[in-house]
Amino acid sequence: MISVEGLSKRFGEVTAVDGVTFEARDGEVTGLLGPNGAGKTTTLRMLYGLMRPDGGRIAVDAVDAAADPAGARARMGVLPDAHGLYQRLTAREHLRYFGRLRGLAGADLDRRVDELVELLDMGAIAGRRAQGFSHGERTKVSLGRALVHDPRTVLMDEPTNGLDVGSTRAVRGLIRRMREEGRCVLFSSHIMQEVAALCDRIVILAEGRVAAEGTPDELRARTGHANLEDAFVALSGLDEVEP
């Protein structure tokens, strides 16, 4: 579970995140949505420790991220917006390296790497160096290293961006599986069909603040729109888009 209270972040005179409060619960998929510049990526970066908040509190499974940042990070798997890979390492070597960083070794590490290669359909690239990988292939490797230590809490920034249809379906199936296993999944996406299909709860950011939150049905009922995309446009303050 992730608990966020009064989170804020400023860049000079610009307030990117302004008093954001929400929860992402175990056994649920929580969508973090908002138009460009709403503060989504900044919020995610603070959650997984890449940025230090100017104010507020973050707790991961009741571990205070400020008091014990290493302990909070150890409980999370993170797919960031930038998929930086070591160009000379193969896909399998990436998983083994990050598995060792997470404390895995021996047969446990071998078994986990094999599981992820199969789960993420990386057989064709497992022995190839990352240099020259397509965006979709890089995403698969980045997702694998995020999950290598079998985390209970998973953060994803645009997890299906750049993936083909088959890989997109596989990632969506993986997200559903993690929910069924009782994990906490928090992800950002611009694909409303994906959000509607996966999310138990949605948090909408606008201008760095929480503009609305609730289940997809609650947000549709609140706006009077049957379509989740139309509800999102209304709640985030975007101008109505002509059909």
Side-chain angles (χ1 to χ4, degrees):
M1 177 174 174
I2 300 173
S3 177
V4 178
E5 299 177 8
L7 198 63
S8 64
K9 182 66 179 180
R10 294 177 296 278
F11 298 98
E13 299 298 317
V14 177
T15 299
V17 178
D18 187 8
V20 166
T21 297
F22 67 89
E23 286 186 348
R25 304 166 184 165
D26 294 340
E28 292 185 352
V29 178
T30 302
L32 187 65
L33 310 183
N36 291 335
K40 302 185 306 298
T41 295
T42 299
T43 296
L44 287 172
R45 287 176 177 175
M46 288 189 285
L47 293 183
Y48 55 74
L50 188 60
M51 290 182 177
R52 183 183 297 275
D54 293 322
R57 179 178 180 272
I58 300 168
V60 181
D61 294 337
V63 176
D64 189 303
D68 185 7
R73 284 195 296 268
R75 288 163 168 78
M76 291 187 286
V78 178
L79 177 69
D81 57 322
H83 305 152
L85 302 180
Y86 296 104
Q87 298 297 298
R88 295 183 62 82
L89 294 184
T90 67
R92 186 177 292 275
E93 286 169 343
H94 273 92
L95 300 186
R96 292 187 61 82
Y97 175 59
F98 278 86
R100 289 196 296 269
L101 289 177
R102 293 292 194 170
L104 298 177
D108 289 339
L109 176 59
D110 293 340
R111 182 169 54 253
R112 184 59 177 160
V113 169
D114 288 343
E115 288 174 353
L116 288 169
V117 168
E118 181 178 357
L119 182 64
L120 297 172
D121 191 25
M122 291 194 293
I125 64 170
R128 285 173 46 200
R129 291 182 176 180
Q131 186 173 13
F133 275 6
S134 68
H135 181 81
E137 290 167 342
R138 294 169 67 85
T139 299
K140 288 183 180 182
V141 177
S142 297
L143 183 55
R145 69 187 187 186
L147 301 176
V148 70
H149 58 303
D150 203 21
R152 300 298 301 172
T153 300
V154 181
L155 281 66
M156 300 178 172
D157 196 351
E158 302 285 348
T160 61
N161 184 29
L163 297 183
D164 59 26
V165 173
S167 297
T168 295
R169 288 172 63 88
V171 170
R172 291 176 181 174
L174 176 61
I175 291 173
R176 293 188 182 99
R177 174 177 165 179
M178 288 191 289
R179 174 176 56 196
E180 292 168 0
E181 293 171 346
R183 302 174 196 262
C184 168
V185 180
L186 174 66
F187 83 101
S188 171
S189 177
H190 287 292
I191 305 172
M192 287 297 119
Q193 180 184 8
E194 184 168 84
V195 172
L198 293 175
C199 288
D200 300 288
R201 294 188 62 80
I202 296 171
V203 179
I204 297 177
L205 300 184
E207 298 182 348
R209 301 175 181 175
V210 175
E213 61 179 311
T215 68
D217 285 344
E218 288 170 346
L219 297 182
R220 283 189 285 254
R222 176 174 168 179
T223 59
H225 291 295
N227 183 282
L228 185 60
E229 180 176 315
D230 292 335
F232 165 73
V233 168
L235 291 167
S236 62
L238 295 172
D239 292 334
E240 289 290 337
V241 179
E242 294 184 3

